[in-house]
Amino acid sequence: MESRSPWAEREVDYAELVVGVVIAWGVFDGVSTLVAAALVGVEFESNPLVRALLPTPTLALGVKLAAAVLAGVLALAGERFIRTVPGWRCFFLGLIALGAGVTGLNLGVALAAV
């Protein structure tokens, strides 16, 4: 008898994808941006809004988290519509992958400075 993983047949839920986007872009990107800025310097941040907030790290992280949470709330509010768009799962998975890539880039910058 073959043992199957519980993930093999399970489809990722919409809310889980939204939470993944919020975590990738709010938490991981926010923290990795702070780490990179602390090791390399604030002046190397390409986003002018984030660069202006980085001298106060808690404010910078708070703004990034707030923006990600707001996007998540809007995505949850529009779930009925978004589920009608073809490829919506791929879009969310792409956003999560892009957030992971940005986090990796930030960490790469931080490690290069060490």
Side-chain angles (χ1 to χ4, degrees), residues 44-98:
F44 292 105
E45 172 59 44
S46 60
N47 183 333
L49 175 62
V50 175
R51 190 179 330 123
L53 296 172
L54 280 173
T56 311
T58 53
L59 182 61
L61 184 59
V63 168
K64 280 190 169 274
L65 284 171
V69 168
L70 178 60
V73 168
L74 290 173
L76 289 174
E79 178 179 1
R80 244 182 353 160
F81 169 74
I82 292 171
R83 282 180 175 265
T84 66
V85 176
W88 64 268
R89 269 193 186 84
C90 291
F91 176 75
F92 278 106
L93 290 170
L95 279 177
I96 293 168
L98 187 61

Side-chain angles (χ1 to χ4, degrees), residues 26-49:
V27 178
F28 294 161
D29 177 41
V31 170
S32 66
T33 297
L34 294 178
V35 169
L39 294 174
V40 176
V42 173
E43 64 275 4
F44 292 105
E45 172 59 44
S46 60
N47 183 333
L49 175 62

Side-chain angles (χ1 to χ4, degrees), residues 1-9:
M1 179 150 206
E2 184 181 331
S3 174
R4 296 192 62 165
S5 166
W7 297 98
E9 295 176 6

